[in-house]
């Protein structure tokens, strides 16, 4: 069985491969990744020489390269993680998001359609698993949760391109009978996350006593999911999910951003001997993100009820593990904080007005 995993050098994709390459010796995993800014080959060191794994250094926008790979190593399952994934980058430069998230997804669907169809039907056992986000549903007010039936209402260019890719996947199901599954998960955190996202950015800034840039008043709410729980859920959907269905994945773990940052100050103080007061004083309120969604919350009852999946990690233990991972993996951190990373920090934060 050939399993194509796109974006396997990124945060969630690498955690997926680290779990399933050793666990599934009979599956042959091809990691299709263009090795962009968020990729870190160090994440994949433990499996780099595994007999059932290889890296294909390919941009999913390059259809000819995907076609050559499909002839050489035809996919049975495609697990599609590859994306431009950072909301702030989509605000400053949306084009790359349309290219990778919409056109790249389209290219993979075309590969599946061309190679999986025998006449009008699809060869048995093929599955296109599309990894998506709760951001396609837009923002919630103070109450309620997103279900699989919630209306699509994306706010950022990132969210709009993920919504478009979800629609394309469903359209291929309806029009061509392509067997697909979609998972929409809430905010992930954990080891190997590129330090542009809230939690790893705050951890590294705390370790270096740099200001902690909090957008607006820090009152926006995110619903946090430990990456290993997410990976576990994707494995369960691949194994037991139904074609043509989507599943929301979340851990019922809503927190205000300000409370997440305060918790990180406490944990980093405990591990480094710094005083909590010194770390809390680094909090800096800055100009808000345009179109900033107020609140996300996932109703994960469908995947729990139908497939028996449940998250295992509590937010407190997950945050603790995450902080320890960044402290213990300086080589990984140094490898991603190149000149391009520093340019991003300047582009996104240099222009933001301080509110206090
Ligand atoms: P990431 O930015 O850490 O990794 C993305 C990976 O995709 C990188 O390795 C990158 O090199 C690769 N990639 C980007 N463009 C590519 C292209 N054109 N061709 C080939 N490879 C390309 O992202 P992540 O946080 O691991 O997210 C993975 C997926 O999960 C995305 O589809 C994202 O929308 C979705 N998701 C993420 C979260 C989250 O909180 N991080 C939550 C829900 C859903
Ligand atoms: O410096 C910051 N300060 C700040 O206050 C950053 C980077 C973020 N924030 C706020 C914005 C959000 O309310 O923290 C919250 C989380 O921000 P991000 O880490 O950028 O995540 P978010 O915008 O919620 O999107 C994430 O979750 C859904 C992922 O980046 C997406 O890929 C995923 O689909």
């Amino acid at each position: 069985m050939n399993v194509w995993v796109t974006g396997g050098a990124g945060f969630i994709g690498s955690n997926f491969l680290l779990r399933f390459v050793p666990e599934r010796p009979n599956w042959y995993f091809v990691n299709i990744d263009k090795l962009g800014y968020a990729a870190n080959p160090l994440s994949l060191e433990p499996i780099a020489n595994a007999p059932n794994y290889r890296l294909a250094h390919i941009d999913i926008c390059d259809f000819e390269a995907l076609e050559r790979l499909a002839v050489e190593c035809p996919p049975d399952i495609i697990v599609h993680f590859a994306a431009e994934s950072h909301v702030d980058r989509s605000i400053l430069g949306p084009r790359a998001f349309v290219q990778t998230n919409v056109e790249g997804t389209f290219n993979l669907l075309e590969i599946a359609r061309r190679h999986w169809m025998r006449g009008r039907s699809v060869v048995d056992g093929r599955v296109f698993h599309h990894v998506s986000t709760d951001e396609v549903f837009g923002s919630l007010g103070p109450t309620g949760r997103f279900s699989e039936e919630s209306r699509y209402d994306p706010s950022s260019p990132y969210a709009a391109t993920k919504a478009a890719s979800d629609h394309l996947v469903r359209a291929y199901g309806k029009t061509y009978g392509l067997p697909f599954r979609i998972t929409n998960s809430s905010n992930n955190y954990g080891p190997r996350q590129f330090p542009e996202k809230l939690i790893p950015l705050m951890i590294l800034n705390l370790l270096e006593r740099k200001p902690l840039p909090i957008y607006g008043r820090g009152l926006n709410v995110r619903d946090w999911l430990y990456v290993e729980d997410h990976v576990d859920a994707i494995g369960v959907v691949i194994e037991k999910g139904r074609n043509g269905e989507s599943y929301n994945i979340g851990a019922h773990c809503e927190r205000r951003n300000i409370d997440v940052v305060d918790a990180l100050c406490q944990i980093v103080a405990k591990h480094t001997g710094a005083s909590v007061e010194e770390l809390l004083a680094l909090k800096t309120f800055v100009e808000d993100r345009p179109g900033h969604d107020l609140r996300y919350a996932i109703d994960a009852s469908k995947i729990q009820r139908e497939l028996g999946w449940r998250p295992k990690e509590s937010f407190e233990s997950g945050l603790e593990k995450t902080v320890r991972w960044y402290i213990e993996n300086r080589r990984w951190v140094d490898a991603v904080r190149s000149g391009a990373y520093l340019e991003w920090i300047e582009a996104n934060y240099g222009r933001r007005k301080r509110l206090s």
Side-chain angles (χ1 to χ4, degrees):
M1 169 103 84
N2 293 329
V3 182
W4 281 19
V5 176
T6 71
F11 167 47
I12 307 173
S14 63
N15 281 287
F16 178 87
L17 286 166
L18 290 170
R19 158 91 185 266
F20 288 108
V21 168
E23 208 170 271
R24 301 281 176 145
N26 297 330
W27 288 11
Y28 185 75
F29 292 88
V30 184
N31 172 10
I32 299 171
D33 201 301
K34 75 169 184 183
L35 301 180
Y37 78 89
N40 191 340
L42 287 181
S43 299
L44 298 163
E45 264 186 349
I47 54 165
N49 298 316
N52 62 332
Y53 168 79
R54 74 177 258 212
L55 172 70
H57 184 185
I58 288 175
D59 187 327
I60 58 168
C61 298
D62 182 350
F63 183 75
E64 302 309 321
L66 290 174
E67 184 57 37
R68 282 193 296 276
L69 181 67
V71 170
E72 186 199 324
C73 183
D76 298 294
I77 297 178
I78 298 175
V79 191
H80 179 32
F81 292 98
E84 289 291 338
S85 70
H86 194 40
V87 172
D88 292 320
R89 285 186 192 254
S90 83
I91 294 167
L92 291 186
R95 185 176 299 278
F97 287 70
V98 176
Q99 286 165 343
T100 284
N101 300 0
V102 184
E103 202 181 325
T105 302
F106 165 71
N107 283 341
L108 290 160
L109 288 165
E110 275 296 287
I111 292 287
R113 183 166 80 91
R114 286 185 184 198
H115 289 264
W116 291 356
M117 308 293 292
R118 293 281 175 275
R120 282 173 172 270
S121 47
V122 177
V123 182
D124 265 359
R126 306 299 192 261
V127 176
F128 191 101
H129 184 117
H130 182 56
V131 179
S132 193
T133 169
D134 58 1
E135 298 201 19
V136 297
F137 302 122
S139 186
L140 289 167
T143 59
R145 287 187 172 143
F146 298 128
S147 78
E148 286 78 4
E149 275 70 50
S150 293
R151 190 170 72 94
Y152 275 48
D153 187 20
S155 303
S156 68
Y158 161 72
T161 60
K162 291 298 289 189
S165 65
D166 288 13
H167 290 321
L168 267 176
V169 172
R170 283 200 185 91
Y172 269 62
K174 285 185 191 161
T175 309
Y176 306 113
L178 196 87
F180 73 86
R181 296 170 200 174
I182 299 176
T183 45
N184 297 87
S185 97
S186 58
N187 283 60
N188 283 220
Y189 70 104
R192 305 175 190 83
Q193 186 168 31
F194 190 76
E196 64 191 350
K197 307 289 196 306
L198 178 74
I199 288 182
L201 178 79
M202 295 297 157
I203 295 173
L204 295 184
N205 283 10
L206 278 164
L207 292 174
E208 294 171 10
R209 310 289 189 270
K210 290 185 181 158
L212 309 174
I214 298 166
Y215 297 163
R217 290 282 149 209
L219 301 178
N220 302 66
V221 172
R222 294 295 180 264
D223 187 355
W224 294 98
L225 175 67
Y226 193 61
V227 65
E228 288 181 13
D229 279 328
H230 186 188
V231 159
D232 190 52
I234 292 172
V236 168
V237 173
I238 291 172
E239 202 180 319
K240 302 197 271 186
R242 286 184 290 140
N243 287 342
E245 293 290 317
S246 67
Y247 298 89
N248 282 358
I249 308 174
H252 288 184
C253 182
E254 291 178 52
R255 296 285 188 285
R256 298 185 311 173
N257 294 335
I258 188 78
D259 298 328
V260 172
V261 174
D262 286 348
L264 287 169
C265 290
Q266 301 280 349
I267 300 172
V268 170
K270 187 173 93 186
H271 285 283
T272 59
S275 85
V276 178
E277 291 67 34
E278 179 198 354
L279 298 185
L280 289 171
L282 295 170
K283 286 192 290 186
T284 309
F285 295 93
V286 299
E287 199 178 342
D288 210 348
R289 173 186 280 175
H292 197 174
D293 286 335
L294 175 69
R295 174 172 166 262
Y296 304 142
I298 281 269
D299 172 355
S301 55
K302 177 177 175 182
I303 189 173
Q304 295 192 0
R305 191 179 59 246
E306 292 189 9
L307 309 183
W309 173 84
R310 273 187 179 63
K312 297 188 180 76
E313 200 71 52
S314 75
F315 190 57
E316 289 63 36
S317 63
L319 262 196
E320 180 84 34
K321 283 186 185 172
T322 306
V323 169
R324 258 191 284 138
W325 191 89
Y326 281 91
I327 291 175
E328 289 164 7
N329 287 276
R330 286 309 300 190
R331 198 164 69 93
W332 187 98
V333 169
D334 291 344
V336 285
R337 288 165 111 203
S338 62
Y341 177 75
L342 299 176
E343 279 165 30
W344 162 250
I345 295 293
E346 179 51 32
N348 188 45
Y349 298 99
R351 69 189 170 85
R352 275 177 202 274
K353 281 200 241 40
R354 267 183 79 138
L355 301 177
S356 65

